Every structure is written in structure tokens, then in C-alpha cells.
Amino acid sequence: MSLFSIFNVSSSAMSAQSLRLNATASNMANADAVATKPEDAYKAREPVFQQVMEQNGGVGVRVSGITQSTAPNPALYEPGNPLANKDGYVYSSNVNPVEEMVNMLSASRSYQTNVQMMDTAKNLALRTLQLGQ
Amino acid sequence: MSDSIFGIHGQALVFQSQRMGILASNIANADTPNFKARDLSFRDALQAAAGQGSAGQPLALAHNQPGQLSGTAENGGAQELYRIPDQPALDGNTVDMDRERVRFTENAVSYQTTLSFLNSRIKGINSALTGQ
């Protein structure tokens, strides 16, 4: 393992965190989507991270799958909505905006940390190359 | 030869770059369920470098048969150890982001210190060689 393995490790973490940010963006975009049946309504999505050994040492991250939230989709009484069922209800998404906000902050902070880590590793590697000059 | 010129700083550079990779793995896996944070012990590495490793710390491959390859222990003689978490997380992750960041920064500064030691050593040798 060397300084160069840090590039692999932090780039894998950056892509995992940006996927998490992407999932959060999808969730927030679909927060107000409604459907006629609860099974058709939007379910909040969240990635599951898994550790993975990198080729030249170091432990990176990969997204092993996307889970869908099992929280119930709330029923809203909107008889005027064209998607309403015969009782006048539509089912909205089960996205929790507060949860998504926290997820977004956490993902962006982790992403920043990994960028800084990569920058530090780059600077140290360059300084090592300039040794004795 | 290089050992006598650079002393312990060559091994220190290897150790610090290995440790930096491990700390980077910890930070990268801050949100991974069941990831256990790891670290290297500077004390073990120092003892290994000084040729008096504690029990269970192989310094180098045993070399008692002709034709065996010689080799030195990876990680500068220090074993990878699991960190003891301050507070358990429900998902089994033991990374404490603040501590890891502090250690990463501290290790980066140590690496730069070692580099400047090596640099001044090289400068000293250079001026001895040129005689000016």
C-alpha cells in the first residue's frame, strides 16, 4: 500500500457518496408525487455501502444495492385529483424531507473530506518526488 | 548503505505512507455498515525498526534454508490493529470521523517532517560532496 492507493480509496468513496447524493435528490424531487394505489406510490430510496479491497491495498467503498423504504405511504383525501381512487384518496410518497436533508448534508461533508484527503495525498506525493532538489 | 545515510527516516517514511493509506480507508468507509476502523502502532514500528520487535511482530521472513527469498515485513514491521470504539454504533461501524481526521492530519504533518529531515540530510551530503 502506498500513497497512490489513497487515490483509489477516496475516489471510490467519492463515487459512493455522490450516488447517495443522487438518491437524495431523487427522493426530494419525488416527495410530492402521488399515485392511485399505495404500491405505485414513490418509495424513498437509499444506497447500501459495502467495503471492498482495492487492488494495491486499502479498503474502498462500493454501493452494494439500493433499498426502498418500507414506511407506509400516507393517503391524502383529494377528490378533485384525477389520480384519486373511488373513495377520493391519493397515496403520496413516503419520503421524509428531514431525513433527506440530513442525508444530503452527511453525503456532501463526506465527499468534501475525501476530496481533501486526496489533495493531501497528492501534495505529499509531489513533495516526495521533489526530495533532494 | 541507504540505511546508514538516512537512518530511521527511510523506514519512517514507509510507515507513515502505509498508515496514511489505512487512515484513508477508515475515512472512506465512515458510512459503511460493519466496517471496523484500523490503525498501525507507531511503537511497534519503532521497535521493529530498532530490531527489537515484541512477540508476535514478525520483523522479517525467517531465513534458515538456502534458496529462501529474503523479505521484510510490510507496514514497516507494525501489525494492523483494530481500533477500540469510544461508543458503539448500531450498524457495527467503528469509525469516529473526528478522530480519524485528526490522525490523518497528524500523520500528514509527520510525513512532511520526515521529508524535511531527509531533505536536509541530502543537502548536507551534497555540500560535503561538492565541498563548497
Side-chain angles (χ1 to χ4, degrees):
Chain A
M1 204 197 310
S2 71
L3 281 180
F4 292 107
S5 75
I6 297 177
F7 293 116
N8 293 336
V9 169
S10 50
S11 67
S12 75
M14 276 157 67
S15 74
Q17 296 293 353
S18 72
L19 199 141
R20 184 177 172 202
L21 209 56
N22 234 319
T24 306
S26 304
N27 291 345
M28 284 310 286
N30 287 287
D32 292 326
V34 292
T36 313
K37 287 183 282 184
E39 56 267 28
D40 291 341
Y42 185 83
K43 310 269 193 295
R45 285 157 168 79
E46 201 176 342
V48 181
F49 290 170
Q50 194 185 34
Q51 48 186 305
V52 56
M53 290 301 284
E54 296 289 341
Q55 277 187 344
N56 49 355
V59 189
V61 196
R62 75 182 184 94
V63 177
S64 62
I66 307 280
T67 56
Q68 293 199 349
S69 167
T70 52
N73 289 79
L76 306 174
Y77 186 61
E78 284 181 18
N81 196 316
L83 287 172
N85 62 13
K86 61 181 176 5
D87 300 325
Y89 284 98
V90 288
Y91 291 90
S92 87
S93 74
N94 62 357
V95 175
N96 182 350
V98 179
E99 227 171 77
E100 298 304 328
M101 207 68 193
V102 172
N103 252 330
M104 185 193 81
L105 286 175
S106 170
S108 83
R109 291 284 177 229
S110 299
Y111 192 94
Q112 282 177 16
T113 309
N114 280 291
V115 171
Q116 282 174 9
M117 209 158 65
M118 200 183 248
D119 198 46
T120 309
K122 188 197 81 181
N123 283 333
L124 290 181
L126 286 178
R127 272 165 190 251
T128 315
L129 281 176
Q130 287 163 1
L131 201 62
Q133 283 180 5
Chain B
M1 171 65 184
S2 63
D3 265 10
S4 62
I5 294 173
F6 296 123
I8 205 165
H9 298 304
Q11 284 149 305
L13 207 63
V14 173
F15 169 76
Q16 276 149 2
S17 66
Q18 308 278 12
R19 183 164 186 236
M20 185 167 268
I22 289 168
L23 294 176
S25 302
N26 290 348
I27 294 175
N29 283 286
D31 298 316
T32 310
N34 289 318
F35 179 82
K36 308 294 179 208
R38 273 163 273 191
D39 201 354
L40 293 177
S41 156
F42 180 77
R43 198 165 148 265
D44 287 348
L46 186 65
Q47 282 180 344
Q52 43 170 324
S54 56
Q57 308 279 324
L59 297 178
L61 294 176
H63 208 171
N64 48 14
Q65 295 279 322
Q68 275 183 340
L69 294 175
S70 62
T72 47
E74 216 189 323
N75 297 336
Q79 269 186 334
E80 243 178 272
L81 301 171
Y82 288 109
R83 211 187 282 303
I84 297 164
D86 291 329
Q87 52 181 19
L90 210 56
D91 63 353
N93 186 301
T94 64
V95 178
D96 183 338
M97 200 59 167
D98 301 322
R99 280 178 188 275
E100 299 301 335
R101 286 189 67 155
V102 167
R103 288 201 173 93
F104 188 84
T105 313
E106 181 202 357
N107 192 62
V109 173
S110 307
Y111 190 93
Q112 290 196 35
T113 313
T114 308
L115 279 184
S116 63
F117 275 129
L118 286 172
N119 249 331
S120 54
R121 191 88 190 115
I122 292 167
K123 281 206 183 89
I125 291 165
N126 256 339
S127 63
L129 284 173
T130 51
Q132 285 167 6

